[in-house]
Every structure is written in C-alpha cells, then in structure tokens.
Amino acid sequence: VDTDGKVTVKQNGTVTITATCYTDDNYQGRQYSYTLTVASSGIDYTAPAALNSTYNGGEQDSLTTPVTSTTPGAVIRYGVNTGGLSFPEENIPKIKDAGTYEIWYQLTAPGGYATVVGHVTAVIHPKDITEGMISGISDSYTYSGNKITDRKS
C-alpha cells in the first residue's frame, strides 16, 4: 500500500485488504475488509518443434526450434523420455540412434507463475542401405566345405 492508499499486487495468492475510515463531524467511522484472490499467471512461451530426420551417424538436436519465453527470469529445462518427471538438461538434448523420443520441457519463473510442462515427439528414421554403401564384396561365392572363397580369384 502506498501513501495514497493504492494497493499493488506483487504475486499470486489470497490477501485480505482492510480499509479504515475514521470518524469525523460528517461521517461515522467504519472498517471494511475485502478478500482478494490473484490467480497464477501463465508463463509466456512458444512451444518447440521436434526433429523429424533420418539417421546420419552423428548426434542431432532433438528440436528444430527451441522453447522460447519472454517472461522475465524464465528458466527452461529439458528431459528425454523422462515422462515429465525430471528435467536434467539445460540445453536442447542431442539424440543419435534411429527411434522415437519424447522430448520433455519445463518452464519455471519467479513471482508466482504457474510451471509449464509439455513434450513433443522427435523421430530419427532408419537410413536405407544403398548399393553404394557396400563395397569389397564379390557378386557371388562358392561354398567349399569350411570356408567361402571368392570365385573370381
């Protein structure tokens, strides 16, 4: 409450505000109480876009677009296949092998903001084996009992 009697809300919750009017020649004094409930505000954020790629042998960012927030002090954390129970990573998780991954994210912010938890599904598809990937193998072999020998030699 400032010197003019103005109330400023600083965080969520319930508060009772009491105003006292004093007796003078024209007015009978009274006290009035009001209960004010301020709901949690939502964190302003943009949800991520998940990777949908093909196996390339190296680590890939699991998100093609990261989670972003304009809420002051917002902290973003990530987890892979955690079911939303833990968020151990501060950076976008890397994934390597072909498969489907749940990429969980959590946003927290000071000042009574409600925590945000969500997830997207990232996919690395298996790479097709092509003829050019196989080398040094003859077109045919002859089984000779104990070992295979190259028929061309």
Side-chain angles (χ1 to χ4, degrees), residues 53-71:
S53 182
T54 301
Y55 177 77
N56 66 12
E59 289 188 330
Q60 301 180 57
D61 284 338
S62 57
L63 303 176
T64 56
T65 305
V67 178
T68 59
S69 177
T70 58
T71 301

Side-chain angles (χ1 to χ4, degrees), residues 22 24 28 45 59 85 90 131-132 134 144 146-147 149:
Y22 296 101
D24 65 14
Q28 175 66 33
Y45 76 100
E59 289 188 330
L85 300 177
E90 293 179 11
E131 188 174 330
I134 303 170
S144 62
N146 293 326
K147 62 180 183 174
T149 58

Side-chain angles (χ1 to χ4, degrees), residues 83-117:
L85 300 177
S86 68
F87 304 91
E89 301 182 44
E90 293 179 11
N91 298 313
I92 295 172
K94 303 269 189 192
I95 52 180
K96 180 178 178 180
D97 295 327
T100 301
Y101 302 84
E102 284 188 350
I103 310 303
W104 288 84
Y105 57 92
Q106 176 192 59
L107 290 91
T108 57
Y113 286 94
T115 297
V116 173
V117 173

Side-chain angles (χ1 to χ4, degrees), residues 115-146:
T115 297
V116 173
V117 173
H119 77 280
V120 293
T121 302
V123 179
I124 296 180
H125 301 278
K127 183 173 182 153
D128 290 334
I129 296 176
T130 62
E131 188 174 330
M133 296 170 70
I134 303 170
S135 63
I137 300 175
S138 297
D139 292 339
S140 63
Y141 290 89
T142 302
Y143 179 68
S144 62
N146 293 326

